[in-house]
Amino acid sequence: MISSEQNYKYWAFISYARSDKEIAKKIHQDLEKYRTPKSLIEESRIVLPKHFCPVFMDLKDLSTTDANYRDGLENALQNSKHLIVLCSKSSARKESVCHWEIAEFLKTHSPDAIMPIALEGVDDAVIPEELHEMIH
């Protein structure tokens, strides 16, 4: 397991189903633009980052025609502090790459570093199997 003190290349990796790519792009863009208010950082009892970037998104950071595409995903997962999983009926399907990304991330990270975001309500139909215990 990688130490929480490690310097990561990415603040987060966004895992999503292709049918959710427009919302994934929006979340990616908003996270990279967001700046934590100074007053919130100063008043917080926990350490808050000044900004949440860079955020890895395959469409932005990898070429889908790259022969080493899967290796690129694996490398980005290992070098991301957090995994943001966009949960939808599409991402919960067995053939979704989200399952592989979650499993790969958990090889080197704690489940506490995963942030599921329900796009279609919170029920078992939208939550990838690997995250059920975290949610319930």
Side-chain angles (χ1 to χ4, degrees):
M1 185 106 17
I2 294 175
S3 163
S4 62
E5 300 304 314
Q6 174 181 334
N7 290 325
Y8 292 94
K9 181 175 181 178
Y10 302 105
W11 183 82
F13 179 112
I14 299 179
S15 177
Y16 63 97
R18 283 287 180 244
S19 59
D20 300 323
K21 76 178 177 185
E22 292 308 315
I23 187 99
K25 286 179 186 177
K26 177 76 171 124
I27 289 170
H28 177 268
Q29 178 182 356
D30 289 351
L31 279 172
E32 288 210 331
K33 284 183 179 179
Y34 183 79
R35 299 294 177 254
T36 307
K38 186 176 180 180
S39 61
L40 186 60
I41 292 171
E42 291 170 353
E43 295 170 15
S44 178
R45 293 181 184 185
I46 61 170
V47 177
L48 293 174
K50 291 180 182 177
H51 49 84
F52 300 95
C53 63
V55 175
F56 178 89
M57 184 175 172
D58 64 339
L59 291 177
K60 175 184 163 275
D61 296 303
L62 281 180
S63 168
T64 56
T65 58
D66 188 353
N68 298 320
Y69 182 76
R70 197 168 197 119
D71 291 341
L73 289 177
E74 193 174 315
N75 185 280
L77 285 160
Q78 291 171 359
N79 288 292
S80 295
K81 185 172 184 174
H82 301 283
L83 176 64
I84 298 171
V85 181
L86 302 187
C87 301
S88 67
K89 288 179 182 168
S90 296
S91 67
R93 289 189 189 119
K94 293 274 187 225
E95 65 274 6
S96 171
V97 71
C98 295
H99 298 282
W100 178 83
E101 290 169 345
I102 294 166
E104 283 298 309
F105 188 79
L106 287 172
K107 287 179 182 178
T108 55
H109 295 72
S110 164
D112 294 340
I114 298 177
M115 295 181 262
I117 299 175
L119 300 180
E120 300 175 32
V122 180
D123 66 43
D124 288 347
V126 302
I127 307 298
E129 216 174 276
E130 297 82 355
L131 302 181
H132 282 196
E133 285 184 31
M134 289 177 57
I135 304 296
H136 298 295

mmCIF file of all heavy atoms in Angstrom, residues 47-69:
data_model
loop_
_atom_site.group_PDB
_atom_site.id
_atom_site.type_symbol
_atom_site.label_atom_id
_atom_site.label_comp_id
_atom_site.label_asym_id
_atom_site.label_seq_id
_atom_site.Cartn_x
_atom_site.Cartn_y
_atom_site.Cartn_z
ATOM 1 N N VAL A 47 -6.596 19.168 6.955
ATOM 2 C CA VAL A 47 -5.784 19.818 5.921
ATOM 3 C C VAL A 47 -6.562 19.776 4.605
ATOM 4 O O VAL A 47 -6.921 18.709 4.111
ATOM 5 C CB VAL A 47 -4.421 19.117 5.762
ATOM 6 C CG1 VAL A 47 -3.630 19.755 4.633
ATOM 7 C CG2 VAL A 47 -3.644 19.178 7.066
ATOM 8 N N LEU A 48 -6.839 20.936 4.079
ATOM 9 C CA LEU A 48 -7.536 21.050 2.798
ATOM 10 C C LEU A 48 -6.570 21.537 1.729
ATOM 11 O O LEU A 48 -5.763 22.433 1.993
ATOM 12 C CB LEU A 48 -8.701 22.044 2.898
ATOM 13 C CG LEU A 48 -9.868 21.661 3.787
ATOM 14 C CD1 LEU A 48 -10.860 22.818 3.889
ATOM 15 C CD2 LEU A 48 -10.564 20.421 3.256
ATOM 16 N N PRO A 49 -6.665 20.977 0.527
ATOM 17 C CA PRO A 49 -5.798 21.468 -0.549
ATOM 18 C C PRO A 49 -6.271 22.836 -1.040
ATOM 19 O O PRO A 49 -7.450 23.161 -0.951
ATOM 20 C CB PRO A 49 -5.962 20.413 -1.646
ATOM 21 C CG PRO A 49 -7.280 19.786 -1.387
ATOM 22 C CD PRO A 49 -7.512 19.874 0.098
ATOM 23 N N LYS A 50 -5.343 23.616 -1.547
ATOM 24 C CA LYS A 50 -5.697 24.910 -2.121
ATOM 25 C C LYS A 50 -6.461 24.730 -3.430
ATOM 26 O O LYS A 50 -7.290 25.545 -3.800
ATOM 27 C CB LYS A 50 -4.447 25.751 -2.373
ATOM 28 C CG LYS A 50 -3.775 26.215 -1.110
ATOM 29 C CD LYS A 50 -2.547 27.040 -1.429
ATOM 30 C CE LYS A 50 -1.851 27.446 -0.150
ATOM 31 N NZ LYS A 50 -0.619 28.187 -0.401
ATOM 32 N N HIS A 51 -6.129 23.659 -4.143
ATOM 33 C CA HIS A 51 -6.805 23.361 -5.403
ATOM 34 C C HIS A 51 -6.832 21.850 -5.599
ATOM 35 O O HIS A 51 -6.111 21.114 -4.930
ATOM 36 C CB HIS A 51 -6.131 24.057 -6.586
ATOM 37 C CG HIS A 51 -4.651 23.874 -6.614
ATOM 38 N ND1 HIS A 51 -4.051 22.776 -7.155
ATOM 39 C CD2 HIS A 51 -3.653 24.661 -6.136
ATOM 40 C CE1 HIS A 51 -2.741 22.887 -7.022
ATOM 41 N NE2 HIS A 51 -2.466 24.020 -6.405
ATOM 42 N N PHE A 52 -7.691 21.404 -6.488
ATOM 43 C CA PHE A 52 -7.885 19.973 -6.726
ATOM 44 C C PHE A 52 -7.423 19.619 -8.143
ATOM 45 O O PHE A 52 -8.231 19.248 -8.990
ATOM 46 C CB PHE A 52 -9.367 19.603 -6.548
ATOM 47 C CG PHE A 52 -9.874 19.905 -5.173
ATOM 48 C CD1 PHE A 52 -10.521 21.102 -4.892
ATOM 49 C CD2 PHE A 52 -9.701 19.002 -4.143
ATOM 50 C CE1 PHE A 52 -10.990 21.383 -3.620
ATOM 51 C CE2 PHE A 52 -10.168 19.269 -2.866
ATOM 52 C CZ PHE A 52 -10.817 20.461 -2.602
ATOM 53 N N CYS A 53 -6.155 19.757 -8.385
ATOM 54 C CA CYS A 53 -5.643 19.435 -9.701
ATOM 55 C C CYS A 53 -4.185 19.018 -9.598
ATOM 56 O O CYS A 53 -3.545 19.310 -8.590
ATOM 57 C CB CYS A 53 -5.827 20.608 -10.666
ATOM 58 S SG CYS A 53 -4.943 22.093 -10.233
ATOM 59 N N PRO A 54 -3.691 18.336 -10.594
ATOM 60 C CA PRO A 54 -4.442 17.916 -11.773
ATOM 61 C C PRO A 54 -5.332 16.717 -11.492
ATOM 62 O O PRO A 54 -5.105 15.957 -10.565
ATOM 63 C CB PRO A 54 -3.347 17.553 -12.780
ATOM 64 C CG PRO A 54 -2.186 17.129 -11.943
ATOM 65 C CD PRO A 54 -2.274 17.949 -10.673
ATOM 66 N N VAL A 55 -6.359 16.600 -12.301
ATOM 67 C CA VAL A 55 -7.285 15.476 -12.241
ATOM 68 C C VAL A 55 -7.122 14.697 -13.540
ATOM 69 O O VAL A 55 -7.170 15.275 -14.623
ATOM 70 C CB VAL A 55 -8.743 15.949 -12.066
ATOM 71 C CG1 VAL A 55 -9.705 14.777 -12.127
ATOM 72 C CG2 VAL A 55 -8.898 16.717 -10.757
ATOM 73 N N PHE A 56 -6.917 13.384 -13.424
ATOM 74 C CA PHE A 56 -6.729 12.546 -14.601
ATOM 75 C C PHE A 56 -8.084 12.155 -15.182
ATOM 76 O O PHE A 56 -8.987 11.708 -14.478
ATOM 77 C CB PHE A 56 -5.960 11.264 -14.251
ATOM 78 C CG PHE A 56 -5.775 10.345 -15.426
ATOM 79 C CD1 PHE A 56 -4.673 10.465 -16.249
ATOM 80 C CD2 PHE A 56 -6.722 9.374 -15.719
ATOM 81 C CE1 PHE A 56 -4.515 9.639 -17.348
ATOM 82 C CE2 PHE A 56 -6.571 8.536 -16.811
ATOM 83 C CZ PHE A 56 -5.462 8.667 -17.625
ATOM 84 N N MET A 57 -8.202 12.341 -16.488
ATOM 85 C CA MET A 57 -9.363 11.855 -17.242
ATOM 86 C C MET A 57 -8.815 11.301 -18.539
ATOM 87 O O MET A 57 -8.097 11.992 -19.262
ATOM 88 C CB MET A 57 -10.360 12.968 -17.498
ATOM 89 C CG MET A 57 -11.612 12.475 -18.178
ATOM 90 S SD MET A 57 -12.825 13.792 -18.325
ATOM 91 C CE MET A 57 -14.006 12.957 -19.363
ATOM 92 N N ASP A 58 -9.138 10.055 -18.824
ATOM 93 C CA ASP A 58 -8.526 9.385 -19.971
ATOM 94 C C ASP A 58 -8.688 10.142 -21.277
ATOM 95 O O ASP A 58 -7.751 10.236 -22.054
ATOM 96 C CB ASP A 58 -9.029 7.937 -20.105
ATOM 97 C CG ASP A 58 -10.513 7.837 -20.386
ATOM 98 O OD1 ASP A 58 -11.263 8.793 -20.097
ATOM 99 O OD2 ASP A 58 -10.942 6.786 -20.885
ATOM 100 N N LEU A 59 -9.860 10.715 -21.527
ATOM 101 C CA LEU A 59 -10.085 11.436 -22.790
ATOM 102 C C LEU A 59 -9.157 12.635 -22.935
ATOM 103 O O LEU A 59 -8.819 13.033 -24.040
ATOM 104 C CB LEU A 59 -11.536 11.902 -22.895
ATOM 105 C CG LEU A 59 -12.578 10.803 -23.067
ATOM 106 C CD1 LEU A 59 -13.977 11.405 -23.084
ATOM 107 C CD2 LEU A 59 -12.325 10.005 -24.340
ATOM 108 N N LYS A 60 -8.726 13.207 -21.819
ATOM 109 C CA LYS A 60 -7.846 14.371 -21.848
ATOM 110 C C LYS A 60 -6.376 13.963 -21.794
ATOM 111 O O LYS A 60 -5.534 14.580 -22.426
ATOM 112 C CB LYS A 60 -8.189 15.272 -20.660
ATOM 113 C CG LYS A 60 -7.276 16.462 -20.498
ATOM 114 C CD LYS A 60 -7.634 17.231 -19.240
ATOM 115 C CE LYS A 60 -6.534 18.152 -18.829
ATOM 116 N NZ LYS A 60 -5.492 17.556 -18.009
ATOM 117 N N ASP A 61 -6.083 12.913 -21.035
ATOM 118 C CA ASP A 61 -4.690 12.603 -20.722
ATOM 119 C C ASP A 61 -4.098 11.403 -21.450
ATOM 120 O O ASP A 61 -2.902 11.153 -21.323
ATOM 121 C CB ASP A 61 -4.557 12.392 -19.209
ATOM 122 C CG ASP A 61 -4.881 13.661 -18.434
ATOM 123 O OD1 ASP A 61 -4.228 14.681 -18.694
ATOM 124 O OD2 ASP A 61 -5.794 13.631 -17.588
ATOM 125 N N LEU A 62 -4.915 10.655 -22.181
ATOM 126 C CA LEU A 62 -4.422 9.495 -22.935
ATOM 127 C C LEU A 62 -5.029 9.478 -24.321
ATOM 128 O O LEU A 62 -6.149 9.939 -24.515
ATOM 129 C CB LEU A 62 -4.838 8.179 -22.241
ATOM 130 C CG LEU A 62 -4.053 7.693 -21.046
ATOM 131 C CD1 LEU A 62 -4.650 6.383 -20.556
ATOM 132 C CD2 LEU A 62 -2.594 7.494 -21.356
ATOM 133 N N SER A 63 -4.320 8.900 -25.246
ATOM 134 C CA SER A 63 -4.854 8.687 -26.585
ATOM 135 C C SER A 63 -5.480 7.299 -26.622
ATOM 136 O O SER A 63 -4.834 6.314 -26.266
ATOM 137 C CB SER A 63 -3.742 8.789 -27.623
ATOM 138 O OG SER A 63 -4.205 8.323 -28.862
ATOM 139 N N THR A 64 -6.743 7.207 -27.029
ATOM 140 C CA THR A 64 -7.421 5.907 -27.077
ATOM 141 C C THR A 64 -6.827 5.001 -28.151
ATOM 142 O O THR A 64 -7.091 3.806 -28.149
ATOM 143 C CB THR A 64 -8.931 6.065 -27.309
ATOM 144 O OG1 THR A 64 -9.132 6.822 -28.501
ATOM 145 C CG2 THR A 64 -9.604 6.738 -26.137
ATOM 146 N N THR A 65 -6.016 5.545 -29.040
ATOM 147 C CA THR A 65 -5.372 4.713 -30.061
ATOM 148 C C THR A 65 -3.996 4.234 -29.606
ATOM 149 O O THR A 65 -3.346 3.470 -30.301
ATOM 150 C CB THR A 65 -5.216 5.496 -31.381
ATOM 151 O OG1 THR A 65 -4.454 6.672 -31.129
ATOM 152 C CG2 THR A 65 -6.576 5.869 -31.954
ATOM 153 N N ASP A 66 -3.573 4.676 -28.439
ATOM 154 C CA ASP A 66 -2.274 4.291 -27.891
ATOM 155 C C ASP A 66 -2.240 2.788 -27.622
ATOM 156 O O ASP A 66 -3.123 2.239 -26.975
ATOM 157 C CB ASP A 66 -2.023 5.063 -26.591
ATOM 158 C CG ASP A 66 -0.623 4.883 -26.036
ATOM 159 O OD1 ASP A 66 0.133 4.046 -26.570
ATOM 160 O OD2 ASP A 66 -0.291 5.590 -25.076
ATOM 161 N N ALA A 67 -1.215 2.121 -28.124
ATOM 162 C CA ALA A 67 -1.068 0.668 -27.931
ATOM 163 C C ALA A 67 -0.926 0.333 -26.453
ATOM 164 O O ALA A 67 -1.275 -0.760 -26.019
ATOM 165 C CB ALA A 67 0.135 0.153 -28.710
ATOM 166 N N ASN A 68 -0.425 1.255 -25.671
ATOM 167 C CA ASN A 68 -0.233 1.041 -24.238
ATOM 168 C C ASN A 68 -1.314 1.735 -23.412
ATOM 169 O O ASN A 68 -1.066 2.169 -22.289
ATOM 170 C CB ASN A 68 1.149 1.552 -23.814
ATOM 171 C CG ASN A 68 2.254 0.810 -24.522
ATOM 172 O OD1 ASN A 68 2.173 -0.397 -24.701
ATOM 173 N ND2 ASN A 68 3.269 1.536 -24.940
ATOM 174 N N TYR A 69 -2.527 1.836 -23.950
ATOM 175 C CA TYR A 69 -3.630 2.540 -23.294
ATOM 176 C C TYR A 69 -3.882 2.004 -21.884
ATOM 177 O O TYR A 69 -3.940 2.760 -20.922
ATOM 178 C CB TYR A 69 -4.894 2.432 -24.143
ATOM 179 C CG TYR A 69 -6.082 3.159 -23.586
ATOM 180 C CD1 TYR A 69 -6.179 4.540 -23.681
ATOM 181 C CD2 TYR A 69 -7.113 2.472 -22.944
ATOM 182 C CE1 TYR A 69 -7.261 5.223 -23.174
ATOM 183 C CE2 TYR A 69 -8.204 3.139 -22.429
ATOM 184 C CZ TYR A 69 -8.277 4.511 -22.551
ATOM 185 O OH TYR A 69 -9.346 5.187 -22.032
#
